[in-house]
Every structure is written in C-alpha cells, then in structure tokens.
Amino acid sequence: MQKDRVYTDEFYHKGMRKKLVDTLREKGISDEAVLEAINTIPRHYFLESAFDKIAYENRAFPISADQTISHPYTVAYQTQLLQIQKGDKVLEIGTGSIYQTTILAELGAQWVYTIERQKVLFDEQKAYYHFRRQYPNIKFFYGDGFKGLPTYAPFDKILITAAAPFVPPLLVEQLKHGGCMVIPVDEGEAQRMMRLTKLNDGSLKEELFDAFSFVPMLQGKSL
Ligand code: SAH
C-alpha cells in the first residue's frame, strides 16, 4: 500500500476482474453478492504497483512484514461462509492488505472492526486515507487478535484470516447468540476451514469445510 500512489481503475483492470469472477464461479463460489463485491473492489489498489498487471491472478502476493494478501478464492470462500447481512457488526482478525476488510464493508456490514498485530502493517493501513473516506464503517485496531475487542463485543460475525493454532476462547465469548465465526484451524501442514455458530442457547455448532494454507496467527506480544 503506497501512500503517494495515484489509484486508477482502468478498463483492463475491470476486464481482469470479470475474468477472476468467472474463475471463482467455476471453482464453486455461488454467492452473487460476494462475486459482485469482488467485481467491484479493485484488488490492485491493495498491492504494490509492480503487481498491477497480475493483481487479478488467483494467487497470494507479498505485502509488508513478510505477510501475504490472501488468494481471491480464499477471500471469496471465507466471505461466502460468513453470510454477511446488511447491518452486521463484524470483527476481522488480520487486516493485512485491507482487501478482505473492504469486501466485508462493501457487502453492507454496518461496522467492520479489524485488528492487525504488526505495527508496520498497521501504520500503512493508517496512511490509507483513500479507503478511510470511502468506507467510514471500517475501524482499524493495532493489537492481538487472540484477545479480540471486548469493548465492542458482541459481534454478529467474526473472521480470522491467519492460521489459528486453536479456536481462541475470548473470540467465542465475543460472538453474539445466532452469530458465527469462520476460522482456519491448524492441522499441521494445512488448515481446515471451520464455521462455528453460537446457537441461541449458547451452545456451539461446528462445521468443517475444505483445507487451506494460511500464514500463521502470531502469538505473544504485538510487534
Ligand atoms: N486478510 C488479509 C490477510 C493477511 S495475512 C489480506 O488478505 O490481506 C494475515 C494477517 O494477520 C497478517 O497481516 C498478520 O500480520 C496478521 N496477524 C497475524 N497474527 C495476528 C494476531 N494474533 N492478531 C491480529 N493479526 C494477526
């Protein structure tokens, strides 16, 4: 994310985005609202300008602090599982490039609270005023995703975008009754995508989906 860059969304970007949406559809993403959000948000804005021509390939790219922007397929997959409704209060762990965050905001979440643990990335996110104006419903926090944001809880939806070694109990506490959390949980080499729904009686329903490969969720002191 470059502070002084001029962001333009050209015809060739739009064309590549349409192709990406077709690819995601072929790979099984069927939620039209999610596909529309991917078609709307210029992914190349969230990457260094060197990636301009390849920003719509279905792959991860490096961002600062040895992290990556998630594959578009992964973003679409997690977002589809979350089933964002207009007015939802959402917590995202792992802001990274802000791409996934923006998709959540675009889908009509009333608030997207997003936590980043690495100061370098958080400072870049702060400088990203372009999106701060367009999406005033995104609130950025520097902190530890394992702790969540108790002051703003409970949340309708919680999304974890890094590989979690276990389901953080404090995040389960911060989930609304009737709400759900989408979290890739570690199984060694890969992670299993899990959706945890907190039922109205407070019990948890667990559903398991496909395997993915995320960067690890960092434990301990914030950097
Ligand atoms: N959704 C982001 C994914 C970035 S990768 C995107 O597509 O761009 C995962 C992100 O989680 C990284 O930015 C990493 O720094 C952050 N992260 C790792 N551990 C964390 C933790 N404990 N709390 C909050 N963020 C964390």
Side-chain angles (χ1 to χ4, degrees), residues 1 43 46-47 61 63-72 74-75 78 92-101 114-119 121-122 125 141-148 159-163 214-223:
M1 209 168 294
R43 188 178 189 235
F46 302 85
L47 292 165
F61 289 105
I63 56 174
S64 298
D66 289 331
Q67 300 300 312
T68 53
I69 183 173
S70 299
H71 283 66
T74 309
V75 170
Q78 290 200 291
E92 180 196 37
I93 310 299
T95 319
S97 67
I98 329 184
Y99 176 61
Q100 168 77 76
T101 323
T114 184
I115 309 181
E116 174 55 56
R117 181 181 177 279
Q118 304 212 57
K119 190 77 165 69
L121 281 165
F122 177 72
Q125 292 151 9
F141 295 83
Y142 168 52
D144 182 2
F146 281 96
K147 301 202 175 101
L159 174 63
I160 289 86
T161 73
F214 282 81
V215 293
M217 192 171 171
L218 304 165
Q219 300 189 64
K221 218 171 122 278
S222 297
L223 303 171

